Amino acid sequence: QVRLVESGGGSVQAGGSLKLSCAASELAYTRYCMAWFRQAQGKEREGVATLHSDGNSSYTDSVKGRFTISGDHAKSTLYLQMNSLKAEDTAIYYCAAERSQVAFGDCPSWPSWYEHWGQGIQVVVSP
């Protein structure tokens, strides 16, 4: 059973930084995708960034140049470094994972593709 646990959320002023972590256990796939999603109050869950186990990454346009997704395979941990935070980044952030059938592929950014989810962690950015 894959288990994902997020940490590192909190409150910060606009312009500040936060780093989210997602510790994964039992992720025993040869290739896999991991991703960060977020859901603001009253809005649909949206993909923020994805990372393939072979190294490909992608970002939604609104966070390009500000957020960086990375992974530490030895620690089975996914990270999201968030800089220059804006009030509109306020949301619950979720870590997700799924097996990938494609080598060096791009990972999907829609929630329904992912089977495994963390419980979510709150990020609040005050203006």
Side-chain angles (χ1 to χ4, degrees), residues 31-85:
R31 292 189 178 89
Y32 54 87
C33 287
M34 295 192 76
W36 289 100
F37 288 82
R38 66 185 179 187
Q39 188 165 17
Q41 193 168 5
K43 295 187 177 181
E44 294 185 353
R45 193 169 298 190
E46 67 166 344
V48 175
T50 69
L51 181 65
H52 193 279
S53 55
D54 288 338
N56 285 17
S57 61
S58 66
Y59 300 87
T60 191
D61 286 345
S62 63
V63 308
K64 285 180 181 177
R66 301 188 298 122
F67 290 11
T68 303
I69 190 170
S70 62
D72 185 331
H73 293 293
K75 295 182 179 180
S76 298
T77 301
L78 181 74
Y79 302 101
L80 185 69
Q81 177 67 47
M82 305 186 293
N83 298 327
S84 303
L85 282 161

Side-chain angles (χ1 to χ4, degrees), residues 38-41 85-93 122-126:
R38 66 185 179 187
Q39 188 165 17
Q41 193 168 5
L85 282 161
K86 305 176 180 179
E88 51 263 43
D89 295 318
T90 295
I92 298 175
Y93 283 71
Q122 181 74 57
V123 170
V124 176
V125 184
S126 55

Side-chain angles (χ1 to χ4, degrees), residues 3-5 35 41 65 73 78-79 96 100 107 112:
R3 186 165 181 251
L4 304 173
V5 180
Q41 193 168 5
H73 293 293
L78 181 74
Y79 302 101
S100 174
C107 295
S112 60

